[in-house]
Amino acid sequence: MARQRKKLKISPNFSDSKEIKIHYDYTDDLFANEHYKYYLMCSLPKNSTHVIPRKYFYFKYKKEYYKTKNSMGFIHLTSDPIFGKSSILDNRFKHKKLILQIIDNIFTDIKSEKLTEGLLIAIGIVIDILELNSIVLNNMNEFKTKYQILIYSHIRNTKTYKNQDKRDIRRLFNEFEKVIDGFEFILPKKYGLILTKSKMQNELPSSVMYQLEYHALKELQLIKSKVEENLIIIKNKDSILSIKNLLYTLFIKIEKSRNLVKNILSKILLHKLSIDYNIDASFLFQKNCEKEVNDLKLLSKNGIDLTSNKKYIAAFIDELYPYYPVNVEINDKYKSLADKDTFKTFFKDYYGSSVKEADLYIYPNKNAIYPLYLLLLIRTGLNSETLLDWEVYKENSSYNLTSDNLGILSIVESTKKRSNSRISCVLKNDSDEMKYINFYIKWANDIYANSKNKSLFQYFNRGGLANKKIEILTPHILAYLKEAPDSFYRKYEIYDQKGSRINFIDHRLIRKAHNFQEYIKGKQEFERQLKKGHINSQTTQIHYENNSNEWNGLKKHKIAKAQNLLISIFKGQVSREQNHSVDLFDGSIANCKNNKNPTFKNASNLKSNEFCLDWTKCLTQCEQAYVIPKIHGPVIFAWIKFMKEQLDEFINEEHWEKEYLDDYNAAVDTIKYFTQDEKLYCKNEMTKHKEFVKMIFKRTTKRKRLKNA
């Protein structure tokens, strides 16, 4: 039978799945349904005094729940609970719709008890401050970026707010940035002084993208080389801190000064020689010991000065702090030599580096993870939320990126929580992205082994809390990382188009710029839409294209070039040999001299405003057709192959002949006149047109349709 359009089959059970309510208490059915939407479920730490996972923000229901539970014998729940600041609905009932909308949008998952309470309190404070300033919001999408400045200023001038309230408000605005279109989180400095340094507001030009990518790669190359050097040093620590090197270093320092007996360096070297090698070299600081000194000089022959190169810091850190950086306690065998502060000065005095500077390449830290994060944003075009969802998995004793490894490439999937959709990203296994991801995972192996989280973007914070040394990169941390004294933007000079130095960027703009780079590479609109995970191309255009100055400039340039070319074609100033764009006016399998007067068998009598579009009949006795082998030939070959294959789709050959025989014979007769070279070319190119010849088009069209096409 002839070609037919296929219908999409949808399983009847597709919509039968039971909805899972994130903030519904499935563990306790008391008022679980009646109070639903007026409490939030939260996770409780082991040592929490809050014994129920519900966090009410409507005190009326909270009191009802506690009182009933107490009467049922749960005496640990008081029948008269305290009205807390997290009960934000009772005194703000006129804002009920807004409060519920904010809660629905930012509590898309179960958060910790402390974070849940803090965010609820922050919602109440923000609504109160807006009301004081006579600002009325009908919905949360009306919350503008500038309102943050108003709220920060109010907090700074009002002494009643605690530091915790300020932190909670900052976290709330960070959540707003994820769910409100056009909202931009502003980083406060001392709550009221807003940072406004050279921040790119609309887009990242290609020149800035190039600089970011160049310096990110440069920093990653530096980190990788330094880390690998340190790993080699630590692996060969015993051969580096050998007898000859320890003694040689001692002799070098003694030659410069004999007042080293109480020096921390000499103490470490002497102690190492004594404890590990059973060599007492303390007499080197005494007189009349020439024989013993000569014996030790023989042992130090061909040694190296351990203070001559900063790379040896890694060996001493591993020697002095065996469990570094998890535990910064001094090795037991050296504790008797000096206090902690004295050991810290050792690195500064002899290597010119503080402990902080020295350990930059010892373990993964937030400064080391940022260039990887930045490179992946630039190369993949993912947004921050989706990229930070990447994970690792354990295989034997090592870790790998969670992905589908297909040999030459890997597919990484992550979740975009705002739309609850899965986003796929394809990485070549021999790309810079995979090279540095694999390097980082190998470097951070101990972090993943000691972490309960699977996130790829984890690092060690030596200055963190005792039980929270391992941290996960978040937008909140990124906001402060960009302003750190040793940040990426302070180390590398990056300039905008006006020549002003950029101190930090809005990471969301990278995704917009990436879309433009994809356009330059020739990716079609549908491809860009798919890669961005947008529901339709209109979303891509509105948020990523229409407001781009660089994009609009290029479009105008291309339009101008196209207009000039069209004028030249219409004037006959451009021939087919000079520009192949002339081929735009040709038919698929033949040029058409007059598409208002087709002469093939059973051709329709066209009205004055109609044109023939039936390309399948061009070769079938139509006098208007003119074939150019290397232009139309590949389509003709594909058309012949398609008609042959259709023979198997018909019940009998007679039906096929009625549908295709005349067209088939006409096409076969046409290619008889092609040269062997032309036939070979057409065969090689025909696969490009196999989908086109399957398509169904209208046989005629009216002038109005063409005009509006």
Side-chain angles (χ1 to χ4, degrees), residues 452-689:
K452 295 180 181 179
N453 198 289
K454 297 179 181 178
S455 173
L456 165 66
F457 295 96
Q458 297 185 71
Y459 62 91
F460 195 85
N461 182 8
R462 191 163 57 85
L465 299 174
N467 60 342
K468 291 186 178 179
K469 295 285 187 182
I470 295 175
E471 295 183 353
I472 300 171
L473 193 66
T474 64
H476 167 67
I477 291 172
L478 283 167
Y480 285 99
L481 183 61
K482 290 179 287 188
E483 284 298 304
D486 53 355
S487 78
F488 176 82
Y489 298 93
R490 293 182 187 273
K491 182 173 182 179
Y492 295 104
E493 296 183 5
I494 300 169
Y495 296 92
D496 63 17
Q497 290 174 312
K498 296 179 181 179
S500 300
R501 185 168 177 180
I502 297 172
N503 295 297
F504 59 97
I505 64 165
D506 183 343
H507 291 101
R508 294 172 302 175
L509 300 182
I510 291 177
R511 183 167 162 86
K512 292 184 179 181
H514 179 270
N515 188 57
F516 178 68
Q517 301 299 321
E518 294 288 281
Y519 169 70
I520 291 176
K521 292 175 184 176
K523 297 291 178 65
Q524 298 299 314
E525 185 178 280
F526 182 64
E527 291 180 88
R528 299 195 303 274
Q529 173 203 330
L530 281 181
K531 199 160 188 176
K532 291 287 175 286
H534 291 158
I535 191 169
N536 54 47
S537 59
Q538 188 176 13
T539 303
T540 311
Q541 291 173 354
I542 292 173
H543 297 291
Y544 291 84
E545 298 176 12
N546 294 346
N547 58 353
S548 168
N549 294 330
E550 201 167 26
W551 190 291
N552 289 331
L554 183 61
K555 282 182 177 178
K556 289 177 182 178
H557 177 67
K558 286 193 170 185
I559 289 170
K561 286 184 67 177
Q563 287 175 335
N564 290 337
L565 177 62
L566 285 171
I567 291 171
S568 299
I569 291 172
F570 294 151
K571 288 182 176 181
Q573 295 173 348
V574 178
S575 66
R576 184 183 309 281
E577 290 74 20
Q578 292 172 318
N579 196 305
H580 291 295
S581 297
V582 181
D583 297 339
L584 290 171
F585 301 95
D586 294 334
S588 302
I589 58 176
N591 286 352
C592 186
K593 298 176 185 177
N594 184 358
N595 58 3
K596 290 181 62 65
N597 186 29
T599 61
F600 57 84
K601 186 179 179 182
N602 297 325
S604 302
N605 293 321
L606 302 180
K607 297 178 181 178
S608 60
N609 64 339
E610 289 182 333
F611 296 86
C612 173
L613 294 180
D614 193 356
W615 63 268
T616 64
K617 299 298 181 183
C618 288
L619 305 179
T620 313
Q621 299 177 353
C622 185
E623 297 174 356
Q624 309 297 349
Y626 175 71
V627 176
I628 301 173
K630 287 195 175 182
I631 292 177
H632 306 112
V635 184
I636 296 174
F637 271 67
W639 176 229
I640 292 171
K641 183 180 179 183
F642 171 77
M643 289 188 286
K644 281 183 181 179
E645 292 172 347
Q646 284 294 296
L647 186 59
D648 296 331
E649 301 293 325
F650 284 78
I651 297 174
N652 56 58
E653 191 171 338
E654 183 180 340
H655 289 169
W656 177 86
E657 290 176 354
K658 184 178 180 181
E659 178 78 15
Y660 290 113
L661 184 60
D662 289 341
D663 297 336
Y664 178 80
N665 288 335
V668 171
D669 288 338
T670 299
I671 64 175
K672 287 180 181 178
Y673 299 95
F674 288 9
T675 66
Q676 288 301 118
D677 177 65
E678 289 170 342
K679 289 180 180 179
L680 181 62
Y681 172 82
C682 295
K683 286 180 181 178
N684 292 334
E685 295 293 312
M686 63 184 287
T687 55
K688 296 179 181 179
H689 308 281

Side-chain angles (χ1 to χ4, degrees), residues 195-295:
L195 298 171
T196 57
K197 295 182 187 175
S198 303
K199 188 164 185 179
M200 312 293 295
Q201 294 295 332
N202 299 318
E203 60 184 329
L204 289 178
S206 298
S207 59
V208 175
M209 286 284 285
Y210 171 80
Q211 293 175 77
L212 291 172
E213 183 176 4
Y214 174 81
H215 290 303
L217 278 170
K218 184 178 178 180
E219 181 67 4
L220 284 168
Q221 289 166 0
L222 174 65
I223 292 170
K224 187 172 183 290
S225 64
K226 290 284 188 180
V227 169
E228 289 173 346
E229 182 182 66
N230 281 342
L231 291 174
I232 292 172
I233 293 291
I234 292 171
K235 183 179 179 181
N236 299 313
K237 183 189 71 173
D238 291 340
S239 62
I240 291 170
L241 301 182
S242 63
I243 295 173
K244 68 177 181 180
N245 291 340
L246 294 169
L247 287 171
Y248 185 84
T249 306
L250 268 174
F251 281 121
I252 290 293
K253 299 307 174 187
I254 290 172
E255 285 178 9
K256 292 181 179 180
S257 173
R258 284 195 168 269
N259 298 322
L260 293 174
V261 66
K262 294 183 179 180
N263 185 282
I264 186 60
L265 172 62
S266 62
K267 287 183 178 181
I268 293 172
L269 299 179
L270 291 171
H271 204 69
K272 174 74 175 172
L273 286 166
S274 176
I275 297 297
D276 291 351
Y277 301 114
N278 198 27
I279 295 175
D280 182 6
S282 59
F283 61 82
L284 291 174
F285 299 95
Q286 301 172 8
K287 296 181 180 180
N288 303 320
C289 301
E290 291 184 11
K291 183 180 181 304
E292 291 84 349
V293 170
N294 289 332
D295 290 341

Side-chain angles (χ1 to χ4, degrees), residues 114-238:
K114 184 178 180 180
L115 181 57
T116 301
E117 182 171 3
L119 288 173
L120 287 172
I121 293 172
I123 293 170
I125 293 173
V126 167
I127 289 175
D128 290 346
I129 294 174
L130 292 176
E131 191 171 21
L132 281 173
N133 289 273
S134 302
I135 296 173
V136 179
L137 302 181
N138 295 314
N139 63 73
M140 69 179 295
N141 289 320
E142 295 178 1
F143 194 95
K144 297 180 173 61
T145 300
K146 65 181 181 180
Y147 292 159
Q148 291 175 92
I149 302 175
L150 174 72
I151 291 166
Y152 288 142
S153 299
H154 179 88
I155 291 171
R156 184 185 58 173
N157 298 324
T158 308
K159 297 182 179 180
T160 56
Y161 295 102
K162 298 178 181 179
N163 287 334
Q164 185 60 49
D165 294 333
K166 298 171 184 177
R167 286 191 289 269
D168 291 334
I169 288 172
R170 188 182 65 239
R171 291 191 182 103
L172 178 65
F173 290 155
N174 199 32
E175 294 291 333
F176 277 8
E177 186 178 47
K178 299 176 185 176
V179 296
I180 300 177
D181 287 337
F183 181 86
E184 182 182 336
F185 171 56
I186 296 177
L187 177 65
K189 195 172 185 179
K190 296 183 180 178
Y191 302 98
L193 302 176
I194 309 304
L195 298 171
T196 57
K197 295 182 187 175
S198 303
K199 188 164 185 179
M200 312 293 295
Q201 294 295 332
N202 299 318
E203 60 184 329
L204 289 178
S206 298
S207 59
V208 175
M209 286 284 285
Y210 171 80
Q211 293 175 77
L212 291 172
E213 183 176 4
Y214 174 81
H215 290 303
L217 278 170
K218 184 178 178 180
E219 181 67 4
L220 284 168
Q221 289 166 0
L222 174 65
I223 292 170
K224 187 172 183 290
S225 64
K226 290 284 188 180
V227 169
E228 289 173 346
E229 182 182 66
N230 281 342
L231 291 174
I232 292 172
I233 293 291
I234 292 171
K235 183 179 179 181
N236 299 313
K237 183 189 71 173
D238 291 340

Side-chain angles (χ1 to χ4, degrees), residues 23 38-42 53-57 103 107 116 120:
H23 292 288
Y38 294 93
Y39 64 83
L40 293 166
M41 301 301 291
C42 55
R54 288 190 200 181
K55 176 66 70 174
Y56 278 92
F57 53 89
I103 289 173
F107 288 96
T116 301
L120 287 172

